[in-house]
Amino acid sequence: MTQQKVAILGGGVAAMTAAVYLTEKDNWQDNYDITVYQLGWRLGGKGASGRNADIAERIEEHGLHVWFGAYVNSFKTIETVYNKLNRPPEVPLSSWQDAFKPHSFVVLQEYIENEWQTWPVDFPVIDGNPADGTLDLHFWQLVEMLVAWLRKFIDTIEFEVKQANKQTKLQTTKRRDRGLLQHLASQIRDAYDDVEEEVEEFFESAHDELKEIWSTPAILGQQLQRLLTLRANDKELGEPKDRLVVWYLVRKLKRWLNSEAVEMLDDNENIRRAYICADLGIAMVTGLIKDKVFSKGFGSINHLDFKQWLKQNGANEKYSVESAPVRGFYDLVFGYVDGDFDNGNVEAGVASLAMLRIILCYHGGVMWKMQAGMGDVIFSPIYELLKQRGVKFEFFNQVAALVPETDPNGSQYIDEIQVSQQVELVNGRYEPLVDVKGLPCWPSQPQLHQVVPEQAALIREHNINLESFWTNWPQIYEAEFGHPIPTKTLKRGIDFDQVVFGISVGSLVHLCPELLQRDRKLAAQAQHVKTVATQAFQVWMNKTDEQLGFNYTPPSEERPILSAFSQPFDTWAAMSNLLTKEDWPEPGPVNIAYFCSAFSCDTYPPSTDHEFDAIQKTRVKQNALNKLKEEMQPLWPNAYINDEFDWSVLYSQGQQLDEARFDSQYWRVNVDPSERYVLSVSGSSEYRLATDDTLFKNLFITGDWIKTGVNAGCVEAAVMAGMLTARAISGYPETISGEFGFEPDGT
């Protein structure tokens, strides 16, 4: 095979994953010559982080980054990277197990009678390595595991209902329902030898037409789970009556909940929370069966918003549809069009599959916390490994345009890539990493000593942001030096053969207008796969969570990751675990708090509006100040004196007083086209293209915005996209866990 030159545009998760898998085989350089072209000074895309050399090498992130224990492909990939890199054991985070720690403590917020109430959830630890898990669960396996969780909530409610002297005996009267119970009884009796006496009586009454049929919620839940366990290997869904039995049993449990539990919800938080979880589980089982997801696939319900789908399948609108778990999921995926918190929208198939995978497929903790910045934990080792393998990196190379061409046979290709060379380097190449307490890291600003002095001085003087879409650097450069920033044109057949477009979907209209004119499917994707701006801030603090008044600490003493709170900044994570990786003088801060959420912005001006991003960042600062001044008291009551926020809880190396102490904290807005979060609004999945599904023969699109087995903005989708891209080019990797998640199982 002739060596192919591959130009990878962008350095985010998907692009770097593609590079990892393209270089996995020992002889990869016989087939490929790979160059990465990257805007600015660092890799990472939306997951980039930096170390602030002026303030204790503190970690500054785009937002909160945690992985879920169900990110099978992500953990497989990062495990491969760390194992192949084989860092010396004395290097901090020398293994992926050092770089990630399982996390089980999740907190939700309920707004009850005009007050915020804290709902702590300490998920069970599931043995195993996330990299060894699977996302390839078929319909009955998902339902079986969902019912196993459902039983826990039903048992809790049944206990509370008994304590209140309410009804726990359930009667079956309809002939059709008796027939379904007869089918259930025959299946269980044939398979199990240890049927309890109470259950045997239940089964006998189902077969005896002269007897009344009585059961309990616990009996129904147990027998339902037994039936599903029998069907766990029946991927073809061979017995249609099984679905009718499941449908009947969950709806019977739903009627019992509504008759006996609903009136107790306002007065008993244990019942309310168990009811919400049970009600959501029943609605999901009902919908998966009623909408024939088993035969049509999860993609068949993506035309609906998730909340709309829950309502259609009987979820209680007051308590469940707008519950903390559902709101928390929308917060997790920033699922608000234009950052309008009254306009939540997430595809039902995407949301239900994601929630099932997150809860049912994890190993270790339900979440995993990185033990440094995402740049340090993910992109530094990837960069080091790829550089060792011979991949070339061209930093400060800003892609300006992709130019198509039609060959004599009528085939379309990317013929040129136009690139702006943002700066001139002293030695012609850039060494991007810095050492922080022995750990290779990305700095929060470019290392200007590697840039020619005249340009470096100009960048310092004007505080130029070389990563901003709205930067005025080209104008300042031309005014100073009398000519535009240098550009270069990469030519097909000379500089590249294949193009991996790893820049996010929001950039298509700016970088690929000629491609969109020619390729209607790509144009539809650019239009319908929407993005939303996000915002984040971090504060370093002089008080621990407990000293601030947050006293919901689990036995593990894990710090909280909290969501479904007031907006904006509906998500808060206590990140004191990162302090040892920063370089504070004594006495330093004792705590770190991360906040993030969607950002309200419905219009984006052209790149010539050089003040736009600065104005939006000012809005984020004001949002952050308002959050601290007006909204954190329910979580941090001890941070307030006479209902006024005590600014002295913020750590500051200077002598700032009162609100001015916030000025030394960190905040940012992610409004750039390539930084905005990719949404999964209802009906958008049908417009997502596969990596090689554009009109252009040598173009491979990649990122969490293309068609994967996730179709949502997250690391797992980006990793799967990178794997799909590598396979489309090289044939490797052969399998990707969960890639057919939206396809049907049976008939």
Side-chain angles (χ1 to χ4, degrees), residues 465-579:
N465 181 359
L466 293 172
E467 294 178 326
S468 173
F469 177 76
W470 288 277
T471 182
N472 59 351
W473 174 236
Q475 291 75 23
I476 289 174
Y477 181 100
E478 185 166 3
E480 177 70 18
F481 300 112
H483 60 83
I485 287 178
T487 61
K488 61 183 177 184
T489 299
L490 309 178
K491 291 289 296 180
R492 178 168 69 98
I494 300 173
D495 302 295
F496 68 89
D497 299 295
Q498 313 287 354
V499 180
V500 174
F501 186 86
I503 307 171
S504 195
V505 64
S507 296
L508 283 173
V509 295
H510 303 290
L511 306 183
C512 307
E514 292 187 62
L515 276 61
L516 301 184
Q517 289 177 1
R518 296 188 181 205
D519 189 338
R520 60 177 181 80
K521 292 191 299 182
L522 187 61
Q525 182 173 28
Q527 177 184 355
H528 293 284
V529 179
K530 298 184 181 298
T531 62
V532 65
T534 62
Q535 57 188 327
F537 76 95
Q538 299 165 217
V539 289
W540 286 259
M541 311 184 78
N542 294 315
K543 290 187 176 182
T544 66
D545 303 320
E546 288 76 14
Q547 289 170 336
L548 293 168
F550 188 85
N551 294 312
Y552 298 88
T553 305
S556 64
E557 298 187 356
E558 288 182 343
R559 303 295 88 193
I561 295 178
L562 179 147
S563 197
F565 192 36
S566 59
Q567 295 158 329
F569 297 117
D570 42 52
T571 300
W572 157 54
M575 302 293 287
S576 56
N577 59 297
L578 301 181
L579 286 169

Side-chain angles (χ1 to χ4, degrees), residues 37 396-401 416-424 455 474 477-478 483-490 495:
Y37 296 89
F396 304 104
N397 274 245
Q398 181 177 13
V399 176
E416 294 180 357
I417 305 169
Q418 296 174 358
V419 178
S420 294
Q421 296 180 279
Q422 294 177 291
V423 299
E424 181 182 352
Q455 295 180 18
Y477 181 100
E478 185 166 3
H483 60 83
I485 287 178
T487 61
K488 61 183 177 184
T489 299
L490 309 178
D495 302 295

Side-chain angles (χ1 to χ4, degrees), residues 192-355:
Y192 293 92
D193 297 326
D194 58 343
V195 177
E196 299 87 343
E197 181 177 344
E198 187 180 22
V199 176
E200 186 59 44
E201 291 178 3
F202 166 56
F203 286 161
E204 286 182 2
S205 64
H207 279 93
D208 189 339
E209 300 286 345
L210 299 178
K211 289 185 178 181
E212 294 182 335
I213 306 174
W214 292 92
S215 60
T216 66
I219 287 176
L220 295 183
Q222 179 194 45
Q223 303 318 306
L224 175 57
Q225 186 173 358
R226 282 179 166 178
L227 176 65
L228 293 169
T229 299
L230 293 176
R231 298 297 181 256
N233 295 319
D234 180 18
K235 188 174 182 179
E236 300 306 316
L237 312 178
E239 177 51 77
K241 190 173 284 189
D242 290 341
R243 299 194 291 274
L244 294 176
V245 170
V246 175
W247 167 274
Y248 164 66
L249 292 178
V250 296
R251 288 174 65 81
K252 191 169 187 67
L253 290 171
K254 168 73 171 180
R255 288 193 293 271
W256 171 73
L257 287 172
N258 286 345
S259 67
E260 303 301 323
V262 167
E263 65 183 32
M264 304 169 67
L265 302 186
D266 291 334
D267 301 321
N268 188 317
E269 68 178 27
N270 290 331
I271 293 183
R272 183 179 67 249
R273 292 167 182 176
Y275 173 89
I276 288 169
C277 295
D279 191 49
L280 290 173
I282 289 170
M284 292 184 75
V285 173
T286 300
L288 295 178
I289 293 174
K290 179 177 70 67
D291 293 329
K292 298 183 179 180
V293 170
F294 53 87
S295 62
K296 296 180 179 180
F298 279 88
S300 66
I301 57 174
N302 273 334
H303 63 288
L304 299 170
D305 170 60
F306 182 53
K307 289 183 181 180
Q308 180 187 2
W309 183 71
L310 289 173
K311 290 179 196 175
Q312 289 186 5
N313 290 291
N316 186 301
E317 189 166 350
K318 176 182 177 182
Y319 291 101
S320 304
V321 175
E322 296 298 333
S323 65
V326 175
R327 290 188 295 107
F329 183 83
Y330 278 68
D331 295 345
L332 170 70
V333 297
F334 302 95
Y336 305 99
V337 178
D338 295 330
D340 178 356
F341 295 110
D342 294 323
N343 189 14
N345 191 317
V346 184
E347 289 176 303
V350 166
S352 56
L353 182 59
M355 291 183 78

